[in-house]
Amino acid sequence: MSKNVSVLVEAAIFAALAMALSMLPDFASWFTPSFGAIPLILFSLRRGPKYGILAGLIWGLLHFVLGKVYYLSISQVLIEYILAFACMGTAGFLTTPLQKALKSQQTKSALLFALSGACLATILRYIWHYVAGIIFWSSYAPEGMSASWYSFTVNGTAGGLTLFFVIISIVILLKSQPKFFQPNH
Ligand code: 218
């Protein structure tokens, strides 16, 4: 298979993996972390922003195919299922420095670059959910709680927990299988 096609197949596989994890029951309502962010960010760090953003878009679109979209309005859905999910691929903007550090055996810098990519992607995604929370979800806020504080507590918790699980995954994979982040084709 040509390189381009095999990377596209990889993108589809990781997006599907992310979607499978999105099907876990949301045990803590909107506070639940996004476990699908784990495969998506790992893939983005492996293949860079172009394929990472593509995989994020596929993950977002799979919510429509499988009827997993929480619909309030067109603009809300575009922000939360297209824009926000595409942002997950921005972890790939750290791929080049990550791979350079790995090549020169600078394990600490490599870890720092990978974790920076994870922070960038997760924070960007949850900024969109925070904004959407203020604009579209304020009617769910408890009596007397401001829309922005409500959205911050909900999306800050979900985003923080998501980042926590992604960081654990990166630390484990970078130590046990650094070659995952240095594909040779
Ligand atoms: C305050 C609040 N409640 C709910 C939502 C909707 N939301 C939050 C996080 C992630 C996603 C995408 C599906 O996992 C959605 C739709 C919000 N933004 N804010």
Side-chain angles (χ1 to χ4, degrees), residues 30 63 68 70 76 80-81 85 125-126 128-130 132-134 137 150-151 154-155 158:
W30 288 113
H63 287 74
K68 291 280 163 188
Y70 288 88
Q76 174 260 335
E80 296 205 272
Y81 291 92
F85 281 88
R125 173 180 168 188
Y126 277 89
W128 288 116
H129 293 312
Y130 167 69
I134 298 172
W137 295 87
Y150 171 63
S151 186
V154 170
N155 294 299

Side-chain angles (χ1 to χ4, degrees), residues 2-47:
S2 80
K3 186 204 166 201
N4 192 251
V5 175
S6 59
V7 181
L8 285 173
V9 172
E10 256 182 39
I13 292 172
F14 276 87
L17 251 173
M19 192 63 218
L21 291 171
S22 285
M23 311 281 280
L24 293 171
D26 31 4
F27 53 87
S29 160
W30 288 113
F31 293 94
T32 312
S34 170
F35 293 107
I38 298 169
L40 207 106
I41 287 179
L42 293 175
F43 169 74
S44 302
L45 288 169
R46 170 178 162 90
R47 288 300 185 183

Side-chain angles (χ1 to χ4, degrees), residues 28-104:
S29 160
W30 288 113
F31 293 94
T32 312
S34 170
F35 293 107
I38 298 169
L40 207 106
I41 287 179
L42 293 175
F43 169 74
S44 302
L45 288 169
R46 170 178 162 90
R47 288 300 185 183
K50 190 172 108 189
Y51 293 103
I53 290 170
L54 175 70
L57 280 171
I58 298 173
W59 180 24
L61 290 172
L62 282 172
H63 287 74
F64 295 86
V65 179
L66 296 169
K68 291 280 163 188
V69 170
Y70 288 88
Y71 178 95
L72 297 178
S73 72
I74 295 277
S75 46
Q76 174 260 335
V77 161
L78 289 179
I79 292 173
E80 296 205 272
Y81 291 92
I82 306 288
L83 257 177
F85 281 88
C87 283
M88 292 262 87
T90 60
F93 284 115
L94 277 293
T95 299
T96 305
L98 165 64
Q99 292 178 344
K100 274 192 183 147
L102 282 173
K103 209 173 165 190
S104 52

